[in-house]
Amino acid sequence: MSIEVLQLCPLMPSLETALSERFTVHRFFEAADSEAFLADHAQRVRGVVTGGHIGIPAEIAASLPALEIVAINGVGFDKVDLAEAKGRGIRVSNTPDVLTEDVADLALGLVISVLRQIPRGDAHVRQNRWPDGDLPLGSKVSHRRYGIFGFGRIGQAIARRLEGFDAELAYASRSPVQTHVRNAGSLVELAAWSDVLIIAASASAETRNIVDASVLEALGPRGVLVNVARGSLVDEPALLDALESGGIAGAALDVFVDEPRVPQRFFTMPNVVLTPHMASATHETRQAMADLVLANLDAHFAGRNLPTALV
Ligand code: 8YV
C-alpha cells in the first residue's frame, strides 16, 4: 500500500509529479469541504508537504494521528510548531541554503526598484505618459547606508551584494555574528543610522511586530524599508501610517501579514514597490528546493537521517 501524504499548497509541477510517483497525495488545498476531506484521509496520512509561508496549522496537525514527517518547501519554519512536533516524535525538514542567493538577489532588486523608481518608470512609459513630462527624480543606490536586520545566511548574502555598490553597511541581530560588518546595536539604533533598512531576520514570537512605530520613526522621513523576511516582523498598520504621513520615504515589500491579501492602502502609494512573496521563485531555486523536499521524504521513509532536519 502506498504511503499517504497531505499536500497543503500548490507546488511546482515537477515536484507534484515526483510526489505522485512515490506516494498517494491528498491535495488538501483543493478540498471544497476541509473537514470532510480530513475525515476521509487524516487517519492514514504519514507525511505533510507544505510551503514555508503556510507551515502546518495546529488543527490540521492535531487531526493527523499517524503523522511522521512535515517536509517544508521553504527555509522559514515559523508556521510549524517545532516543540509540538518534537513532543509527538514528528520529524520536520526545510530547504535552507539553496534559496539564499535568490532571496538576496530579490532584496537588491527591491532596493534598486524603490530608490530608482523602476516600476514607476515602467508604468510611465507603458501608459504613454512620457510625452507629458518626466518622472520626479529618484534616489541614489551606491554609497548609501544600508542597515540589515538579521545577519544569517540571507542577511550576509545581501551584504556581499551591497559591497558591490560601495555601500556603508551595518547590521543588528539577536545572536552575535563573526563578521567585518559593523554591529549597530539595537534595531532602533540600526534604523536611525540607515538610509535603507533591510529586514532579513527569521520570524518568531520575539520578532513579531519588531519593526514598530519607534523603529520607523528612527528610520525617518528620508529612510526606506525593504522586507524580504516575513510580514509578521513589521507592524503593518504603523508602516502604512508612516508611509502616508511621510514618516518614512518609501518601502519595498515582498511579504505581508495576511498573504495573499495585501492592504489596499498600499496600492495607491507611489513610493512603494510590492511583490507577491516571490523571493525564491525562480525555476532553478524552486527545483533545488523540490529536490531537497524529496530527499528528506525519501530519507525518512527509508529510515535514514534527514539531509536538512529541523527536528
Ligand atoms: C516560499 C519562503 O515562498 O522559504 C521560505 O520560507 O517563504 C519561500 O521560499 C515558500 O515557502 C514556497 O513554498
Side-chain angles (χ1 to χ4, degrees):
M1 267 233 321
S2 163
I3 293 168
E4 299 192 29
V5 158
L6 197 64
Q7 181 183 336
L8 295 190
C9 62
L11 299 163
M12 72 185 296
S14 65
L15 177 54
E16 295 197 344
T17 303
L19 287 170
S20 63
E21 284 164 2
R22 288 164 165 78
F23 309 113
T24 299
V25 180
H26 302 297
R27 295 162 69 84
F28 179 76
F29 60 99
E30 286 176 344
D33 178 342
S34 50
E35 268 180 43
F37 189 88
L38 287 175
D40 281 348
H41 305 296
Q43 295 298 316
R44 295 178 309 277
V45 164
R46 294 171 62 193
V48 161
V49 185
T50 187
H53 58 304
I54 293 191
I56 178 164
E59 65 278 12
I60 295 184
S63 74
L64 304 174
L67 185 60
E68 297 169 24
I69 179 166
V70 177
I72 305 172
N73 181 47
V75 68
F77 51 86
D78 49 301
K79 295 201 168 142
V80 178
D81 186 339
L82 295 188
E84 166 78 12
K86 200 169 184 176
R88 283 180 58 185
I90 298 166
R91 293 163 117 182
V92 182
S93 64
N94 67 346
T95 63
D97 298 318
V98 293
L99 46 66
T100 300
E101 292 170 343
D102 277 11
V103 179
D105 292 347
L106 191 86
L108 265 290
L110 289 175
V111 165
I112 300 171
S113 294
V114 67
L115 293 181
R116 299 302 309 273
Q117 314 182 92
I118 295 173
R120 250 182 120 181
D122 179 83
H124 198 68
V125 176
R126 277 174 204 271
Q127 293 163 11
N128 203 21
R129 283 186 275 125
W130 193 7
D132 304 330
D134 291 335
L135 282 183
L137 298 179
S139 300
K140 200 167 166 63
V141 172
S142 297
H143 300 285
R144 305 293 299 278
R145 290 181 167 187
Y146 291 87
I148 304 173
F149 178 62
F151 213 58
R153 290 172 286 227
I154 291 173
Q156 294 180 38
I158 293 170
R160 285 196 297 277
R161 283 155 178 71
L162 284 168
E163 280 169 357
F165 289 84
D166 300 316
E168 281 186 66
L169 295 173
Y171 78 95
S173 165
R174 286 176 317 120
S175 29
V177 182
Q178 197 68 358
T179 173
H180 64 278
V181 175
R182 189 176 71 83
N183 185 340
S186 71
L187 175 55
V188 169
E189 287 168 301
L190 181 72
W193 173 87
S194 300
D195 295 319
V196 180
L197 178 64
I198 303 176
I199 308 303
S202 49
S204 65
E206 295 82 59
T207 57
R208 176 172 293 278
N209 284 338
I210 196 162
V211 181
D212 60 9
S214 69
V215 173
L216 297 170
E217 197 185 327
L219 186 57
R222 293 167 61 83
V224 169
L225 180 75
V226 175
N227 190 4
V228 290
R230 284 285 187 266
S232 66
L233 278 88
V234 176
D235 178 343
E236 219 166 54
L239 174 61
L240 285 158
D241 289 347
L243 286 163
E244 275 172 356
S245 67
I248 67 169
L253 309 168
D254 185 50
V255 286
F256 303 87
V257 170
D258 185 26
E259 296 171 7
R261 286 159 292 276
V262 174
Q264 297 217 354
R265 280 165 74 193
F266 281 125
F267 295 172
T268 51
M269 293 177 175
N271 52 345
V272 165
V273 174
L274 307 168
T275 52
H277 197 146
M278 61 185 211
S280 69
T282 65
H283 291 290
E284 298 84 350
T285 290
R286 285 288 166 86
Q287 188 58 55
M289 292 163 66
D291 292 345
L292 264 183
V293 167
L294 291 171
N296 279 288
L297 289 168
D298 287 346
H300 171 72
F301 289 114
R304 298 192 307 268
N305 289 336
L306 307 188
T308 51
L310 288 162
V311 169

